[in-house]
């Protein structure tokens, strides 16, 4: 079964509306609702005084209509009575300003008051509903780090110091890791360490890197504390929290290990004709985190409410975007939200049931989507490993984008990932994302767009890849403490790549440096070859005649950021034995274990040749030879032989 539904907030509506909601959910084919996400103040209007009556009735109604509950622990926003009693639990920014109640995620991640009350509420809800037949999944918190990633209060400072002491054991270990002899920052006790609050000048980048690690871990502690309470009461129920695509602030490799099911919130911009590429990358990450199907837990039926210009989705795009999530491994499509709100910051955010009711385009497309998901039910549970892997390491990302301490601030990891992902995506080549250390068996091509932070273990791991290996620029620069490797870049990758970077040569925005593989922008390097061969040389400029791209055996080093990686990539695909597809621009082809999704992201009809025959599950039409895709149309082909 594929999941279909969305966030349901019955507390925002008179109870007489609930019956209509249930009737329309059943009509649309909704089979899951996420409930009680922001309901703490309604469930516990005063400390220890609970009001579960309304939620009891909602749970009963859902079950009576065949709809399962993704039940939240309601801890995403603490109630005002708790905040007023304990104002110290509100987060403090880097300038020392304590933030006020009135939005959401109003808590310091390190606050023992918030933690204790959140765990208590989670356990109370679990005890009440553990036997309820509608309950199928637990939803802890909501979009961690969306509004509150970090807090700089004294409680957080003490938590940070404890985290550091556990990591380094002694203050001498901390001083060595942070290089505190620079700028006179030597500590003689952990009690002297503070968070990286606003300072007169640049802050120690090693301290910033550890702060990023700490902030991710501190929020993960919140999740795991609630999870432990749920496990005690309902040990057999899956637990999740909704991720936010490729989020800088949280190490999703570590977070996903604590989840039973990866879920994600995705909001591609309908006004951006290339947004389907970036969102496909994030979907592939979700599938890769646990190497299994995941679930799109939030998406928008049409417009969102938080962009400067909130463009609606044109006709057909809700279905198309939903099919894209399925193609990349989601076992369903959920939305924010079911019924469009009349008030609050998200009153103009679209919903499956809009302000205009059932006589609307959005509602008709909601019904269409429900029918499509029923037709595609057999796809659920299928998983297939890709042939190409992209390396994503959060430590390296955090170090790469540290402020005020780098040769250039123009190297952004998401952009570097997309430099390689976009041309692979355009050719229908499946991609997995991998962390350093993951088994690389079965991958014909492994691409590390950037490994700014690189250990000897990571270098050894890359060298064991069975196929072609590509390493991007500014890699192998520092160790886990953000200290430059002796001998310079690429540090422990030197043996694999056979080069030394003598000097970084960043470029201004308007500058292009020609190479034998097209123009480079943003970044170039002065390379010295050892036992590597040049693949492309710089042409003109100060680096004229010097190597830009090199190769040693199966390992290729790209010492610049190419405007277009396609010429190099096509050669690498041949070497790796990976067959690209011929696709019209804007058409996406994705394989999912016996199924081929063909998605037309353009507003014009498209025709493409088929190398496989099968049946289109959306229309139950046999297809062979070619496929005709209408504007924003799709085919989901069950490939012959897959039953």
């Amino acid at each position: 079964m594929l999941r279909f539904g969305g966030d349901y907030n019955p507390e925002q509506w008179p109870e007489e509306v609930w019956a209509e909601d249930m009737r329309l959910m059943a009509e649309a084919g909704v089979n899951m609702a996420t409930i009680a996400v922001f309901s703490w103040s309604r469930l516990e209007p005063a400390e220890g005084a609970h009001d579960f009556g309304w939620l009891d009735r909602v749970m009963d109604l859902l079950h009576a209509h065949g709809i399962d509950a993704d039940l939240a622990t309601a801890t995403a926003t603490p109630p005002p009575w708790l905040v007023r009693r304990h104002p110290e639990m509100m987060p403090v920014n880097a300038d020392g300003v304590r933030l006020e109640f009135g939005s959401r995620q109003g808590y310091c991640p390190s606050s023992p008051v918030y933690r204790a009350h959140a765990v208590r509420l989670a356990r109370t809800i679990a005890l009440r509903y553990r036997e309820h037949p509608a309950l199928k999944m637990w939803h802890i918190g909501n979009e961690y780090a969306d509004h509150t990633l970090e807090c700089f209060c004294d409680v957080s400072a003490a938590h940070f110091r404890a985290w550091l002491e556990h990591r380094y054991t002694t203050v001498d270990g901390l001083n060595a890791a942070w290089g505190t002899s620079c700028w006179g920052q030597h500590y003689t006790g952990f009690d002297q360490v503070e968070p990286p609050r606003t300072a007169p000048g640049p802050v120690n980048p090693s301290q910033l890197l550890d702060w990023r690690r700490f902030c991710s871990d501190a929020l993960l502690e919140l999740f795991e504390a609630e999870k432990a309470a749920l496990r005690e009461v309902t040990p057999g129920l899956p637990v999740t929290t909704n991720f936010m695509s490729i989020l800088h602030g949280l190490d999703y490799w570590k977070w996903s290990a604590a989840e039973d099911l990866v879920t994600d919130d995705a909001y591609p911009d309908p006004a951006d004709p290339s947004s389907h590429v970036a969102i496909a990358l994030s979907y592939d990450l979700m599938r890769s985190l646990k190497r299994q199907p995941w679930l799109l837990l939030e998406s928008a039926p049409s417009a969102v409410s938080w962009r400067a210009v909130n463009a609606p989705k044109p006709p057909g795009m809700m279905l198309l975007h939903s099919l894209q999530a399925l193609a990349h491994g989601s076992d369903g499509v959920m939305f924010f939200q079911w019924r469009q709100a009349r008030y609050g910051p998200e009153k103009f955010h679209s919903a499956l049931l809009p302000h205009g009711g059932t006589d609307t385009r959005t509602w008709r497309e909601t019904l269409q989507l429900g029918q499509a998901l029923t037709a595609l039910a057999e796809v659920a549970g299928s998983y297939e490993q890709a042939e190409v892997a992209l390396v994503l390491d959060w430590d390296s990302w955090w170090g790469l984008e540290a402020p005020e301490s780098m040769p250039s601030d123009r190297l952004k990891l998401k952009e570097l990932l997309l430099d390689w992902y976009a041309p692979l995506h355009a050719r229908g080549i499946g991609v997995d994302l991998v962390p350093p250390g993951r088994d690389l068996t079965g991958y014909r091509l492994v691409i590390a767009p950037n490994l700014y932070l690189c250990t000897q273990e990571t270098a050894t791991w890359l060298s064991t890849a069975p196929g072609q290996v590509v390493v991007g620029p500014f890699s192998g620069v520092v160790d886990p403490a953000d200290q430059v490797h002796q001998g310079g870049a690429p540090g422990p990758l030197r043996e694999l790549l056979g080069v030394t970077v003598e000097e970084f040569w960043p470029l201004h925005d308007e500058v292009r440096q020609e190479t034998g593989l097209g123009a480079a922008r943003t970044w170039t390097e002065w390379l010295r070859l050892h036992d590597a061969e040049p693949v492309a040389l710089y042409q003109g400029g100060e680096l004229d005649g010097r190597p830009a791209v090199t190769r040693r055996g199966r390992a290729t080093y790209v010492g610049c950021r190419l405007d277009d990686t396609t010429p190099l990539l096509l050669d690498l695909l041949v070497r790796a034995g990976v067959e690209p597809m011929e696709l019209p621009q804007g058409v996406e082809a994705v394989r999912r274990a016996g199924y081929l999704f063909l998605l037309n992201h353009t507003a014009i009809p498209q025709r493409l040749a088929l190398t496989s025959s099968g049946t289109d599950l959306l229309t139950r039409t046999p297809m062979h030879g070619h496929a005709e895709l209408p504007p924003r149309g799709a085919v989901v082909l069950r490939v012959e032989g897959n039953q």
Side-chain angles (χ1 to χ4, degrees):
M1 177 174 64
L2 295 173
R3 290 298 187 181
F4 177 41
D7 282 52
Y8 181 43
N9 297 294
E11 65 271 35
Q12 297 180 11
W13 297 93
E15 193 159 342
E16 55 266 25
V17 175
W18 300 355
E20 180 187 30
D21 284 329
M22 298 300 153
R23 178 180 62 80
L24 292 175
M25 284 185 191
E27 180 182 344
V30 165
N31 55 36
M32 177 171 273
T34 301
I35 57 173
V37 174
F38 297 107
S39 298
W40 191 341
S41 62
R42 291 293 302 274
L43 294 173
E44 190 179 17
E47 184 170 1
H50 297 102
D51 177 11
F52 287 110
W54 67 273
L55 187 54
D56 291 346
R57 295 189 293 277
V58 170
M59 291 286 284
D60 291 345
L61 282 169
L62 289 173
H63 179 62
H65 288 79
I67 301 167
D68 294 331
D70 169 31
L71 180 56
T73 57
T75 54
T77 295
W81 61 260
L82 181 56
V83 173
R84 294 302 171 226
R85 187 170 299 170
H86 295 282
E88 74 279 5
M89 65 178 277
M90 291 296 288
V92 174
N93 67 20
D95 294 326
V97 176
R98 189 175 298 280
L99 305 182
E100 183 47 271
F101 180 82
S103 183
R104 59 182 184 175
Q105 290 189 357
Y107 55 78
C108 161
S110 300
S111 169
V113 173
Y114 171 75
R115 291 187 178 208
H117 281 273
V119 169
R120 177 182 53 78
L121 180 63
R123 181 177 289 107
T124 300
I125 293 175
L127 287 168
R128 187 168 189 93
Y129 296 107
R130 60 183 171 181
E131 302 294 340
H132 200 287
L135 177 59
K136 292 298 186 291
M137 184 166 69
W138 286 114
H139 179 105
I140 297 177
N142 187 72
E143 295 184 332
Y144 280 101
D146 180 22
H147 301 292
T148 300
L149 167 63
E150 57 193 357
C151 175
F152 296 84
C153 73
D154 291 341
V155 172
S156 292
H159 191 191
F160 184 42
R161 288 191 285 269
W163 185 92
L164 291 170
E165 192 164 3
H166 181 265
R167 183 176 179 86
Y168 295 111
T169 307
T170 67
V171 72
D172 287 341
L174 173 72
N175 282 316
W178 283 11
T180 55
S181 58
C182 179
W183 285 12
Q185 295 178 5
H186 185 80
Y187 296 102
T188 56
F190 281 103
D191 60 324
Q192 298 164 8
V193 180
E194 296 289 344
R197 300 185 179 105
T198 302
V203 175
N204 185 332
S206 298
Q207 180 184 9
L208 286 172
L209 177 56
D210 270 343
W211 178 251
R212 292 271 66 84
R213 291 166 171 150
F214 162 75
C215 290
S216 179
D217 286 354
L219 283 168
L220 182 55
E221 286 179 19
L222 293 183
F223 174 83
E224 292 189 312
E226 291 191 42
K227 175 186 170 184
L230 298 176
R231 279 281 192 265
E232 291 175 13
V233 182
T234 57
L237 279 177
V239 176
T240 191
T241 189
N242 44 341
F243 288 166
M244 298 181 66
S245 298
I246 303 181
L247 184 69
H248 177 263
L250 301 182
D251 182 348
Y252 280 162
W253 297 116
K254 183 179 287 189
W255 274 72
S256 62
E259 288 189 309
D260 298 310
L261 172 69
V262 169
T263 59
D264 186 40
D265 296 354
Y267 293 98
D269 187 352
D272 179 359
S274 66
S275 65
H276 65 283
V277 180
I279 210 67
L281 171 62
S282 69
Y283 290 163
D284 284 343
L285 172 62
M286 296 303 128
R287 186 192 65 251
S288 302
L289 287 171
K290 294 181 79 72
R291 288 183 163 182
Q292 64 185 35
W294 55 284
L295 178 61
L296 180 60
L297 203 60
E298 281 189 31
S299 53
S302 190
V304 298
S305 59
W306 39 265
R307 292 189 176 103
V309 177
N310 294 301
K313 290 184 176 180
M317 188 175 280
M318 178 177 26
L319 175 60
L320 181 66
H321 281 185
S322 299
L323 294 176
Q324 184 185 26
L326 299 182
H328 289 271
S330 179
D331 269 358
V333 186
M334 306 278 283
F335 291 86
F336 183 86
Q337 57 183 324
W338 163 252
R339 181 182 283 271
Q340 193 168 14
R342 293 184 59 215
Y343 47 77
E346 294 173 315
K347 61 182 176 290
F348 295 118
H349 193 293
S350 60
L352 292 172
L353 181 61
H355 290 146
T358 57
D359 189 17
T360 56
R361 173 180 72 88
T362 298
W363 176 250
R364 288 187 287 274
E365 294 196 22
T366 295
L367 297 177
Q368 180 189 18
L369 176 57
Q371 294 164 1
L373 293 174
T374 299
L376 297 175
E378 67 183 69
V379 173
S382 58
Y383 171 81
E384 179 174 332
Q385 179 175 308
E387 294 183 297
V388 177
L390 279 181
V391 181
L392 169 57
D393 174 52
W394 257 267
D395 275 358
S396 203
W397 188 1
W398 290 330
L400 174 68
E401 297 187 16
E404 299 185 289
S405 65
M406 308 300 281
S408 171
D409 66 359
R410 297 300 196 263
L411 287 180
K412 304 297 183 183
L413 189 65
K414 282 187 183 180
E415 295 175 359
L416 296 174
L417 288 167
L418 282 167
D419 284 348
W420 292 96
Y421 183 84
L424 289 165
H425 176 271
R427 286 158 180 80
I429 298 171
V431 176
D432 290 344
L433 285 89
V434 297
R438 177 168 282 184
D439 182 10
L440 296 176
T441 302
Y443 292 114
R444 296 174 179 268
L445 174 62
V446 177
I447 304 172
N450 176 267
L451 281 172
Y452 166 73
L453 186 156
C454 187
T455 63
Q456 182 59 57
E457 290 76 14
T458 296
T460 301
W461 165 74
L462 266 183
S463 69
T464 65
Q468 297 290 311
V469 175
V470 181
V471 177
F474 203 44
S475 290
V477 180
V478 301
D479 66 13
D482 203 24
Q483 296 191 14
V484 174
H485 287 295
Q486 287 286 347
L493 294 167
R494 187 173 297 112
E495 182 178 352
L496 173 66
L497 301 176
V499 301
T500 292
V501 181
E502 290 198 14
E503 199 168 13
F504 305 125
W505 212 285
L507 304 177
H508 288 282
D509 292 347
E510 69 280 4
V511 176
R512 293 292 184 272
Q513 170 66 62
E514 290 300 320
T515 77
L517 289 168
R521 59 187 166 119
T522 305
W523 188 268
T524 57
E525 294 172 351
W526 184 298
L527 299 181
R528 182 172 77 252
L529 302 186
H530 300 299
D531 52 352
E533 299 294 329
V535 174
L537 303 176
Y538 292 116
Q539 299 172 2
E542 299 292 341
L543 299 180
D544 184 43
R546 302 206 63 83
V549 179
T550 65
R551 182 169 293 134
R552 179 183 181 273
R554 293 179 295 104
T556 299
Y557 182 60
V558 185
C560 57
R561 185 183 179 197
L562 292 168
D563 261 343
D564 182 5
T565 63
T566 300
L568 176 59
L569 181 64
L570 291 176
D571 174 68
L572 289 164
L573 292 175
V574 171
R575 292 172 178 271
V578 177
E579 291 287 338
M581 294 180 67
E582 291 291 333
L583 296 171
Q585 186 173 358
V587 173
E588 180 178 14
V590 188
R591 294 178 177 87
R592 181 175 173 172
Y595 302 93
L596 176 63
F597 287 72
L598 301 173
L599 310 170
N600 180 9
H601 293 279
T602 75
I604 59 175
Q606 301 281 4
R607 177 187 174 96
L608 66 156
L610 292 176
T611 57
S612 302
S613 298
T615 300
D616 177 16
L617 296 181
L618 293 171
T619 62
R620 301 293 161 174
T621 303
M623 303 191 74
H624 62 274
H626 69 275
E628 302 284 350
L629 299 176
R632 302 190 188 96
V635 165
V636 181
L637 197 68
R638 181 207 291 135
V639 178
E640 285 185 354
N642 178 54
Q643 299 294 331

